[in-house]
Amino acid sequence: MPWLSGTERAGCAKILKFMSKGDLLSLSDTVTNKMIVVENVTEAMETILSFTKNAEELLRRKKVYRDLIFKYLANEGVVMPPNSEKHQLVKRALELWSSGKATVDESLQGATDETTQRRSTQTASDTTDLKVEVGFDPQALGQQFCQWFFQLLNSQNPSLGQLPQDWGPQHFWPDVKLRLLSKAGSEQMDEFLGAKLVSLRLLALTKEERLLLCPNLDPHGLRTLASPHGLVLVAVAGTIHRDEACLGIFEQIFGLIRSPLENNSWKIKFVNLKIRGQDALGGTEVAAPALSYNSSELQLLCS
């Protein structure tokens, strides 16, 4: 997967610094398909740079205005006619970066070189580790994870009469984020941050709201992706029930990362959950819902 070079990353970072906070947050949403929640300007910049496949793609974004690129080039000592069009400025910035003549912040350069270095070494070592690990298969991991997660969560539903299993914040990373989007009549988006809050909100679905989440583990309902640097995405669709009634469907994306301090067990780094009630489905067949996310959308989350 192509990454920004150190020079491109440093140059793009300088351009992003000229942007307003609102535009940065909006651009971060666009670049990640609203899958990653950012809290501030620094997080937004880091997310945009991490999820951008190439520099030209970023410079051509609507929010990266012509004037910002013009101002950046002027600061770099590149004089362009004041009436230059945006595509000409984009071309000139790309030429500047490929020539290696752009000035790079020492602090940024260290970080970008180190990041690039780390990515290349991780790509090499992580993929071999995964292969050595009895032919690591993300799809098999996704199946096992979903069976474990939904069995664990559903066991908290009192209407099942089961002994609740060991649910809690221990299954999540401390900085885990949950985005919960529900469409039932009106649309509502809630965000939760931190292992305790996230585990309590998910628990409330089954314990208080008495919902039962049934994942569709067939190939069209489950998709997984492994990134070279350790993140595994598991995306699954399924139906939601209460007692005998089917209330609608859900789509859930989990980001999983191993915890080296806990026997390399997988822990949840983020959760995006979309719930649609029957009335929002317009009579669609919900027996075995398919995922609406395609591979490239998931790839963005994995970048």
Side-chain angles (χ1 to χ4, degrees), residues 238-239 246-249 276-290 292:
T239 48
C246 177
L247 303 183
I249 65 174
R276 282 181 292 164
Q278 283 280 25
D279 50 354
L281 293 172
T284 320
E285 177 57 50
V286 298
S292 64

Side-chain angles (χ1 to χ4, degrees), residues 88-102:
Q88 295 169 313
L89 298 172
V90 168
K91 186 168 178 265
R92 189 65 191 91
L94 295 171
E95 283 169 1
L96 176 69
W97 295 337
S98 61
S99 72
K101 288 178 184 163

Side-chain angles (χ1 to χ4, degrees), residues 56-67 69-70 73 80 83-93:
E56 185 174 1
E57 176 191 276
L58 181 60
L59 294 180
R60 289 189 182 281
R61 297 273 186 195
K62 274 186 193 161
K63 294 284 181 191
V64 182
Y65 302 122
R66 171 204 167 281
D67 297 359
I69 307 171
F70 186 87
L73 288 169
M80 294 288 286
N83 60 350
S84 300
E85 291 184 18
K86 182 177 174 181
H87 70 89
Q88 295 169 313
L89 298 172
V90 168
K91 186 168 178 265
R92 189 65 191 91

Side-chain angles (χ1 to χ4, degrees), residues 7 35 37 72 84 116 122 154 160-161 166 178 189 218 220:
T7 313
M35 296 293 183
V37 184
Y72 165 75
S84 300
T116 316
Q122 277 183 322
N154 286 331
L160 285 188
D166 181 27
L178 164 66
M189 161 72 87
D218 292 337
H220 65 281

